[in-house]
Amino acid sequence: MLDRMTEIMRTLRRVLTSWYFAAPAAVILGLVIGAVIFFFAAPGKPAVGVINIPFTVIEDNSAFVIGQHLDYALEDDSIKAVVIALSSPGGGAASSERLYIHTRRLREEKPVVIVMHGMVASGGFMMAMGGNYSYALPSSLVGNVGVVGLSGGTIPPIFPEIITTTGPNKLTGGSRQHWVELIDRLKDRFAQTVIQERGDRLRMSEEELLQGNLYAGAEAVALGLVDGIGVTGDGVEKAAELAGIGRYDIVNVNAAVFEKFGWRAQLSYVPQPGTDADDADPDESNGAAGSTSSRDSETPEDQYRPPLTGALGQEQVNPLPDFPIEIGQPNLYYVYTGYGH
Ligand SMILES: *[C@@H]1O[C@H](CO)[C@@H](O)[C@H](O)[C@H]1NC(C)=O
């Protein structure tokens, strides 16, 4: 029995060390190691990452979500260039600037091409200044450089007698004059960003720029606010060219981020009339025919509008009573597209 085992062992050793066995085994082993390296270690085929930002008002939440997309594009090593297909009427000044800076950071690592869809106005246009190159459609609406000062104080003027404050401007952040100066400074900063980023490409004066006009895509190209006319596919080709990659995959960054973070990473949309918080109120929607009666019994709190600057307790005039969104920041890079209430 023991002899038999020894015999088997000897045969096995002979087979394992024989040329006929060892050579194919080495080839197979090589293929396996190669495949492991190919799939797990080596960088994959280069890719162009596409971030799609459908019509989105830029405020804290949407800026955070957009930032997650920019970070994903930055961190994924297979992504060598990025296309941002953007449509935005702008939004909060600080949030817009944050996205401009964030995009510019990304651009320092990987070429970024902005493709302007329906509207890239105000704060959206500021974000677009973060890219290396930009396209618009002939019918895109682009520009609107400037600032809207929506309100001063952030505390509602309810029961002012029980509020104690220090400093005459604690509640409002400053006098009317102070606010005018403040938004003027933001306006200058916006203009300087555009002038600096567009450089020689800009073919309009600062004064013209600060008219706050929206331009149709073709005119925006002529004025040097945008580099060319094109759609997302043109953006992808341009991005690949800037990155110097010939054959590439396309990574849908929205889908990748959604997979990673779930619904929390969905881009938010501007509420349309009829879908705002009031209409979403379950009591109201269940109230059928009588539902409109609640409109007649609005309490003073319901009617509250952010006060204009200064002058707490004086009669306030809200310049934008139908403003469709609550942005929660007093200064906006935003164009009010108006839904005609
Ligand atoms: C994109 O812009 C960044 C920062 O300005 C610059 O370093 C980079 O070279 C640009 N990329 C291309 C391809 O032009």
Side-chain angles (χ1 to χ4, degrees), residues 104 107-108 111 132 242-243:
R104 200 180 58 190
R107 172 183 89 185
E108 280 158 15
N132 287 92
L242 291 177

Side-chain angles (χ1 to χ4, degrees), residues 103-112 130-133 197 238-239 241-244:
T103 307
R104 200 180 58 190
R105 287 243 176 88
L106 177 59
R107 172 183 89 185
E108 280 158 15
E109 304 296 326
K110 303 170 182 188
V112 176
N132 287 92
Y133 196 89
E197 289 291 354
K238 185 72 186 178
E241 180 198 320
L242 291 177

Side-chain angles (χ1 to χ4, degrees), residues 16 26 53 56 74 108 123 136 149 204 225 243 262:
L16 282 175
I53 305 176
T56 300
L74 179 71
E108 280 158 15
M204 65 198 301
L225 293 171

Side-chain angles (χ1 to χ4, degrees), residues 4-283:
R4 180 120 185 84
M5 281 298 282
T6 317
E7 182 62 26
I8 287 170
M9 292 300 286
R10 203 172 289 143
T11 313
L12 201 60
R13 193 181 310 134
R14 205 179 311 125
V15 168
L16 282 175
T17 55
S18 81
W19 176 248
Y20 295 113
F21 183 82
V27 168
I28 288 165
L29 194 67
L31 285 176
V32 168
I33 291 171
V36 166
I37 290 173
F38 183 80
F39 285 110
F40 296 102
K45 194 173 165 190
V48 174
V50 177
I51 300 173
N52 191 30
I53 305 176
F55 193 81
T56 300
V57 173
I58 300 172
E59 32 75 46
D60 280 350
N61 291 317
S62 60
F64 174 76
V65 173
I66 292 170
Q68 286 180 313
H69 290 69
L70 298 175
D71 283 341
Y72 187 93
L74 179 71
E75 286 158 16
D76 184 324
D77 289 335
S78 70
I79 294 177
K80 306 297 181 199
V82 182
V83 173
I84 302 174
L86 175 65
S87 183
S88 171
S95 301
S96 302
E97 192 166 43
R98 161 183 171 186
L99 286 180
Y100 157 63
I101 292 169
H102 206 146
T103 307
R104 200 180 58 190
R105 287 243 176 88
L106 177 59
R107 172 183 89 185
E108 280 158 15
E109 304 296 326
K110 303 170 182 188
V112 176
V113 175
I114 308 279
V115 178
M116 304 187 186
H117 282 174
M119 171 182 278
V120 178
S122 200
F125 189 70
M126 170 167 267
M127 177 185 174
M129 290 297 98
N132 287 92
Y133 196 89
S134 57
Y135 286 111
L137 302 172
S139 56
S140 304
L141 297 176
V142 173
N144 189 241
V145 174
V147 187
V148 182
L150 188 60
S151 73
T154 51
I155 298 175
I158 302 165
F159 312 128
E161 65 272 16
I162 64 162
I163 296 176
T164 307
T165 62
T166 57
N169 299 324
K170 182 67 192 87
L171 272 186
T172 58
S175 66
R176 175 104 186 128
Q177 179 58 31
H178 178 80
W179 275 93
V180 170
E181 288 165 13
L182 212 149
I183 68 167
D184 216 52
R185 225 162 278 153
L186 292 183
K187 173 208 74 181
D188 286 341
R189 188 163 165 70
F190 195 167
Q192 286 316 309
T193 300
V194 175
I195 288 167
Q196 191 186 318
E197 289 291 354
R198 299 304 298 167
D200 298 341
R201 294 176 285 187
L202 195 63
R203 286 183 286 278
M204 65 198 301
S205 68
E206 181 172 355
E207 198 188 336
E208 286 169 305
L209 183 67
L210 285 173
Q211 295 296 305
N213 288 332
L214 270 178
Y215 299 99
E219 199 182 357
V221 172
L223 292 168
L225 293 171
V226 178
D227 292 306
I229 295 291
V231 294
T232 307
D234 300 299
V236 168
E237 280 174 22
K238 185 72 186 178
E241 180 198 320
L242 291 177
I245 50 176
R247 285 168 52 80
Y248 48 87
D249 288 332
I250 299 211
V251 171
N252 178 341
V253 175
N254 294 59
V257 169
F258 184 77
E259 203 166 285
K260 200 169 159 192
F261 298 106
W263 61 268
R264 260 171 259 269
Q266 288 236 318
L267 285 164
S268 57
Y269 303 89
V270 66
Q272 303 291 315
T275 60
D276 61 18
D278 283 348
D279 294 302
D281 185 339
D283 291 336

